[in-house]
Amino acid sequence: MKIKNIVYQLAGLAFATCPLAIVGCTDWDDHYEGTDDAAGAGNVTLWQQMKADSRLTDFCEVLENTKVFRQHKKTPVSYAELLDGGQAFTVVAPVNGTFDKDELIRLTQTNSGDSVVEKSFVMNHVSRSLCSVTAAQSKMLLLNSKHVEMEGNGISGVDLLDKNVHAKNGILHVSEQPLPFVRNIYENVCDLDEFSDIGDFLRVYDEDYFDADASVSSGIVEGVPVYVDSVIIERNKMLSVIGLINDEDSTYWMVAPTRDGWNKAWEMAKQYYRYDSKVLKSDSIQHYWTNRALLDDAIFTMTTQESVTDSLKSVQYNKLEPKYHVFYKPFEQGGILSNATEVECSNGILYKTAEWPFTPETTFFTELRSEGEDQALITVSKDCNYTTRRVSADSISEGAYLDIVALKATSNWTMTYRVNNTLSAKYDVCAVILPKSVADKVNPDLRPCKFKATINYVDELGNKKTFNCGNTQFKTDPLKVDTVVLAENFEFPACNFDQQDIKISVQLTCSILPRENSEYNREMYLDCIYLRPRTSKSEE
């Protein structure tokens, strides 16, 4: 059993959600109004006050044995010493017999165990704010960044035996049991064994960040800034991309399959990220993007949701592409949360599922477009001139197209476009051609354009391959927006996702004979090259 799980169980800490509070802690002066402290209590420190209370000997022993960590390093300073000093704190002290003192002290004998006891127990009962309990609802920020609600005669649902007892360096509340330690979503995913595969991936990206702006500088020595007080911030680079589920000041939902469901989905998803053997560190890249494929749409910030019963927009949602990263009727049969179990967290809800409740087509296996007007994607242009033209119409992708004109009346031009971010999967490879009425609504040229197409790609070994699209000659429809399927159900053997070296391209070649000039027109209005995903591998 993991050390974190041991302390959560043996310390007798319950798990519940902290409701949002309405009012924050008040000023120091307010704490002395209508309090219940004994006469003269304000002349001793919090530590002296607790040591003198026979009900708090267990808590005091834990404080004496728990060291303060700074920048992930154990210091020689105990929490007993900290609370006996000049800094101001609010302490909620649980009475004897309500937690496993011996187990907590045993854990403090190792650095890892001490760190767990500090965060989940000691820091869960101490705040740097000066907070008194009044009839009005308020909240207190604990040292471990958890928020607890204070109201009437209780804190976070725990009744107080004594409240608002003042010391010269803070406020003491005596509770009838420990305050519940409530994991946030990130802590649940990382600490619970059933989500260990997800947690192991995310934890790799934990790091310490030096905040120069918040640090106190003593000047510059030999051109190098020197700091007397360095502020180090813990952060996770991966969470900054997929969703800050470790943030106690925000509210998130996350969908997480348990181990068997995650592994099943992972084996399915990794087939889409098979890179060719010439890609450096291809196994590591495959591992990274497989995890991202399953996690990118699994997190939802609740500040952007309009109606959660109607739809959920993941953190990846972009209003410029509204068809992606949105999941409708999530709680109804077939919805992503229809078979989920809620796990209450300090910053939202973790929805536990037996299976990954998404499909590749609604998450990572999406349509790909190379816009005709994006001239940066053109790798070959031969025997033609081309011009980007813009027009406002719902049927035209990105409101622009490329007007391709042959250099001579008998020239058969060639245009080759790179296609980015293909997966090792099957697509319908298409070209979207616009009608001539886009440019001339009165007297459009009604002659179609005739052309051939080839697909350039690489196999699993990185060898260049060319597929002639059935040696077929395609004809455009001059009267409508025409999606010409160049290759149906075409499979790319190797993934080319997120690569600087783009190995996939589609080439169009005009194929009109001189004697066919009266029947065909060499001018083409190319809207885009379009790759349409086919059946997911999980359904084949």
Side-chain angles (χ1 to χ4, degrees):
M1 183 178 291
K2 292 184 178 180
I3 193 168
K4 290 191 177 183
N5 292 338
I6 293 174
V7 71
Y8 293 145
Q9 293 180 18
L10 296 181
L13 303 178
F15 301 104
T17 296
C18 296
L20 292 178
I22 298 174
V23 184
C25 295
T26 55
D27 296 337
W28 171 257
D29 291 340
D30 294 336
H31 293 298
Y32 284 96
E33 297 178 7
T35 63
D36 302 326
D37 56 314
N43 296 322
V44 298
T45 65
L46 286 164
W47 173 247
Q48 292 167 340
Q49 207 167 54
M50 289 186 288
K51 282 290 285 184
D53 193 329
S54 61
R55 299 171 299 173
L56 305 179
T57 55
D58 288 356
F59 188 61
C60 287
E61 283 190 59
V62 174
L63 294 177
E64 288 173 320
N65 283 274
T66 307
K67 305 298 184 184
V68 176
F69 273 71
R70 181 172 174 80
Q71 299 176 21
H72 302 295
K73 295 181 180 179
K74 189 174 184 178
T75 72
V77 179
S78 71
Y79 273 85
E81 295 170 284
L82 187 67
L83 296 174
D84 198 31
Q87 299 183 59
F89 297 95
T90 296
V91 176
V92 182
V95 295
N96 296 341
T98 59
F99 54 92
D100 193 331
K101 174 200 68 174
D102 294 335
E103 177 61 17
L104 291 175
I105 292 175
R106 185 190 69 79
L107 288 170
T108 63
Q109 305 312 302
T110 66
N111 287 349
S112 58
D114 195 306
S115 177
V116 170
V117 173
E118 179 193 41
K119 182 177 181 180
S120 63
F121 187 75
V122 174
M123 295 176 78
N124 202 58
H125 291 86
V126 182
S127 173
R128 283 197 180 274
S129 301
L130 296 172
C131 296
S132 60
V133 177
T134 65
Q137 190 179 38
S138 63
K139 66 179 180 180
M140 177 167 59
L141 175 64
L142 302 174
L143 288 185
N144 59 5
S145 298
K146 305 292 182 182
H147 295 274
V148 292
E149 185 179 279
M150 310 172 67
E151 184 176 23
N153 194 46
I155 298 176
S156 196
V158 175
D159 288 338
L160 300 178
L161 301 177
D162 291 315
K163 63 180 180 179
N164 308 332
V165 181
H166 297 288
K168 65 180 182 181
N169 65 339
I171 301 290
L172 174 65
H173 308 291
V174 178
S175 61
E176 64 176 16
Q177 64 185 46
L179 298 183
F181 176 82
V182 186
R183 296 183 182 96
N184 61 38
I185 296 174
Y186 181 64
E187 290 165 339
N188 269 304
V189 168
C190 287
D191 297 340
L192 298 182
D193 288 338
E194 56 191 335
F195 304 117
S196 60
D197 294 301
I198 304 174
D200 289 346
F201 171 70
L202 295 178
R203 209 192 309 262
V204 170
Y205 297 92
D206 283 339
E207 67 174 12
D208 291 334
Y209 167 71
F210 171 64
D211 189 340
D213 293 335
S215 300
V216 179
S217 174
S218 63
I220 297 177
V221 178
E222 297 181 352
V224 178
V226 176
Y227 296 90
V228 294
D229 186 12
S230 300
V231 175
I232 305 296
I233 298 173
E234 295 181 20
R235 68 180 182 183
N236 183 293
K237 291 190 294 183
M238 181 56 62
L239 299 187
S240 66
V241 176
I242 67 174
L244 297 174
I245 54 174
N246 59 346
D247 187 355
E248 297 285 353
D249 293 321
S250 300
T251 303
Y252 285 90
W253 287 3
M254 180 177 180
V255 181
T258 51
R259 181 176 291 105
D260 289 345
W262 173 264
N263 289 335
K264 178 182 175 182
W266 204 92
E267 290 299 319
M268 174 275 299
K270 80 172 185 178
Q271 301 303 316
Y272 290 85
Y273 295 93
R274 296 193 309 264
Y275 289 83
D276 71 74
S277 58
K278 293 182 180 179
V279 174
L280 188 64
K281 298 182 178 180
S282 58
D283 289 344
S284 296
I285 298 174
Q286 181 187 39
H287 180 269
Y288 173 84
W289 283 114
T290 300
N291 283 290
R292 284 286 304 273
L294 301 181
L295 288 173
D296 272 4
D297 279 303
I299 297 173
F300 309 85
T301 173
M302 303 318 293
T303 59
T304 61
Q305 310 302 324
E306 297 172 1
S307 173
V308 296
T309 58
D310 179 64
S311 65
L312 279 174
K313 299 173 183 176
S314 79
V315 170
Q316 307 303 323
Y317 178 79
N318 183 342
K319 64 181 180 181
L320 297 178
E321 295 183 295
K323 67 184 295 185
Y324 297 120
H325 313 300
V326 56
F327 305 92
Y328 295 97
K329 306 298 181 183
F331 294 100
E332 294 185 8
Q333 186 65 34
I336 61 171
L337 302 180
S338 59
N339 296 311
T341 301
E342 291 187 12
V343 178
E344 297 288 347
C345 305
S346 62
N347 62 345
I349 301 175
L350 177 65
Y351 283 93
K352 181 171 69 172
T353 60
E355 303 279 342
W356 188 64
F358 305 93
T359 65
E361 293 81 6
T362 58
T363 51
F364 61 88
F365 187 30
T366 59
E367 299 171 352
L368 301 175
R369 292 179 185 268
S370 293
E371 293 295 332
E373 70 275 8
D374 188 351
Q375 298 184 18
L377 296 177
I378 299 173
T379 61
V380 175
S381 61
K382 182 180 178 182
D383 295 327
C384 65
N385 289 319
Y386 51 87
T387 305
T388 295
R389 302 193 184 281
R390 301 197 175 277
V391 61
S392 178
D394 292 339
S395 58
I396 299 176
S397 176
E398 301 295 328
Y401 63 94
L402 196 74
D403 182 1
I404 306 171
V405 181
L407 282 179
K408 300 178 181 179
T410 57
S411 295
N412 280 330
W413 50 262
T414 296
M415 295 288 291
T416 305
Y417 276 84
R418 289 182 301 148
V419 181
N420 299 343
N421 294 325
T422 51
L423 302 181
S424 49
K426 294 179 179 179
Y427 297 85
D428 289 338
V429 181
C430 311
V432 181
I433 316 297
L434 302 180
K436 297 300 176 61
S437 59
V438 169
D440 187 349
K441 298 183 183 300
V442 179
N443 296 303
D445 189 329
L446 298 182
R447 290 176 297 166
C449 182
K450 187 170 64 169
F451 66 97
K452 295 181 179 180
T454 57
I455 300 171
N456 303 305
Y457 64 102
V458 294
D459 62 16
E460 297 94 329
L461 300 177
N463 300 317
K464 293 182 179 180
K465 300 288 184 178
T466 298
F467 175 75
N468 294 317
C469 297
N471 292 315
T472 302
Q473 294 194 78
F474 303 98
K475 298 178 183 179
T476 63
D477 189 333
L479 298 177
K480 67 178 183 179
V481 176
D482 190 10
T483 299
V484 181
V485 180
L486 309 177
E488 188 174 6
N489 208 27
F490 181 82
E491 183 168 13
F492 292 98
C495 172
N496 199 221
F497 186 81
D498 194 46
Q499 296 291 292
Q500 290 185 341
D501 181 12
I502 308 302
K503 301 176 181 178
I504 313 299
S505 64
V506 175
Q507 184 175 88
L508 308 181
T509 301
C510 183
S511 61
I512 301 173
L513 298 174
R515 68 173 182 268
E516 297 176 315
N517 284 350
S518 61
E519 185 180 355
Y520 296 100
N521 186 346
R522 286 177 171 80
E523 185 176 18
M524 177 185 285
Y525 296 165
L526 179 62
D527 188 10
C528 64
I529 303 296
Y530 166 51
L531 271 62
R532 181 170 56 205
R534 290 300 298 253
T535 304
S536 68
K537 294 179 183 293
S538 61
E539 297 175 356
E540 290 179 352

